[in-house]
Amino acid sequence: MSTVPDGKKLVRSPSGLRMVPENGAFNSPFSLDEPQWVPDKECPSCMQCDKKYDFLTRKHHCRRCGRCFCDKCCSKKVALPRMCFVDPVRQCGECSLVSQKEMEFYDKQLKVLMGGGSFIVTLGTSKTSETMMCRLSNNHRYLFFDGESHFEVELSRISSMQVLMEESTPEGGNSRASGMLLHYKPTGSQDPQQLRMEAADDKKTASSWLAAMHKAAKLLYEARDR
């Protein structure tokens, strides 16, 4: 194990080299823990094709699910940023497809979220609103809201997230995201708070940000339920 800048450290696990926060409490809310590997004695044959292991047929563990497979059924090495692996790691066919789909979020949507969007923000039942820039923090743990005032929302304290769609126009066509309704508990409070966001002037950028946030919500809830 060695320490690197920005509060992270390199850790070598049986699955590979990982770059993780020095303090586990600062893990990204999208991250997943490494699975427990199925013990060798409990998998005499491939858990996909049922081929028995012998001197020529070796067993491999999928780094995402921890199950045991033969080389043919677990041959792909795919990036797995949700477990903080530095290099692509061996995964079974099913898990590799999931990881490949998630790479779009890490390659594209995360950059959109950290770039931010402009929204008209209303807190609770307040009758006043404020135009604010909303962006995801670099450690992925907070939504920062900046305007005349400033506040932040911790993603782990968001209980529900609803994307609002613009009303259909007479010309028809596909509707796009126009806002979002969040319910969360402010830091240090157990009382739920409502936050409403509506796209400000740059509606195209705001719509892209909202679509990325919708994808982020799916990964966030999956990480909680795992």
Side-chain angles (χ1 to χ4, degrees), residues 172-201:
N174 295 327
S175 60
R176 63 183 179 184
S178 62
M180 181 172 284
L181 192 64
L182 302 179
H183 289 92
Y184 70 101
K185 292 179 180 178
T187 302
S189 173
Q190 293 302 314
D191 297 326
Q193 173 80 277
Q194 176 178 291
L195 185 153
R196 186 182 182 92
M197 305 165 57
E198 296 180 273
D201 296 334

Side-chain angles (χ1 to χ4, degrees), residues 120-151:
I120 300 171
V121 178
T122 308
L123 282 173
T125 56
S126 174
K127 294 183 179 180
T128 60
S129 302
E130 182 179 348
T131 299
M132 310 184 82
M133 175 64 70
C134 178
R135 65 178 180 85
L136 183 69
S137 63
N138 291 337
N139 62 7
H140 312 158
R141 293 174 53 80
Y142 299 92
L143 291 179
F144 290 149
F145 292 84
D146 293 298
E148 290 186 5
S149 60
H150 169 85
F151 67 93

